[in-house]
Amino acid sequence: IAPLYRIFDTPIVLFPLWVTAVAIAAIPIWRISRRHFGENHWAIIPTLCYLLHPTVQYSSVWELHALVLGAPFIAFAFEALEENRPRRFLVCCLLGLTVREDMAFSILSLCLYGLAAGKERKRCLLVALLAASWYLAYTEIVAPALSPDAAELRWRHFSHLGDTPLQQIGSLLLPPWKGWVSLLSLPK
């Protein structure tokens, strides 16, 4: 993003970047659905569901969130997992972790799917370990070093999952249904 700001010193330049990220994420969704539905008109439905989903529409038109930039990495990682391409899966997941520290939760979800589906078990375990380690390193070392107040705000954001980052990750893994239901429901 920084090189774009060097050329165009305005936040307006972010809008095409966000829309492009949303559109690029549709490519692997289309390819996966085509592989599962075949070469017929039904293959477009999952891609349209993604592109027309109100959350995707809202986040690409009205608000600029960094997590939107992670959508292509997650989509391409999912496609790589489906196609048994371990290097591409690893690279996409690592690039996804560069977007924001809480992308680790999406990557952990993807790894749990891979483990449950029996795809690339060793690679999924490695990526899950890297994602959890990155989240812990960021919340315990990087964020407090940059700003003690920012670290405290992050803790409160996921406080319904536990008091420490380790408890937060643990609540998503053991037992998984309780942590994921808590993560997907609105805070009270």
Side-chain angles (χ1 to χ4, degrees), residues 49-181:
C49 287
Y50 162 73
L51 289 171
L52 297 175
H53 192 278
T55 305
V56 174
Q57 290 289 309
Y58 183 81
S59 63
S60 63
V61 175
W62 299 107
E63 290 188 10
L64 301 176
H65 291 284
L67 289 176
V68 172
L69 296 177
F73 298 125
I74 296 297
F76 279 106
F78 183 70
E79 181 186 33
L81 191 61
E82 285 288 303
E83 293 177 349
N84 292 321
R85 293 183 171 185
R87 286 189 186 119
R88 190 168 139 196
F89 173 70
L90 179 64
V91 168
C92 289
C93 287
L94 291 176
L95 288 172
L97 286 174
T98 65
V99 174
R100 263 181 59 158
E101 73 282 353
D102 51 359
M103 282 294 291
F105 289 112
S106 298
I107 291 168
L108 282 170
S109 300
L110 192 57
C111 291
L112 287 174
Y113 162 76
L115 290 170
K119 299 175 180 281
E120 296 291 330
R121 289 182 186 264
K122 288 182 183 177
R123 193 72 53 149
C124 285
L125 285 172
L126 171 68
V127 170
L129 181 65
L130 288 171
S133 298
W134 168 242
Y135 178 73
L136 287 171
Y138 184 86
T139 56
E140 292 293 323
I141 299 166
V142 177
L146 294 175
S147 170
D149 296 334
E152 180 62 32
L153 290 175
R154 284 282 179 222
W155 281 63
R156 278 191 248 141
H157 184 69
F158 293 112
S159 64
H160 61 283
L161 295 175
D163 294 330
T164 67
L166 192 56
Q167 287 176 348
Q168 293 167 359
I169 290 171
S171 70
L172 296 176
L173 300 175
L174 303 169
W177 59 90
K178 288 183 181 178
W180 290 106
V181 167

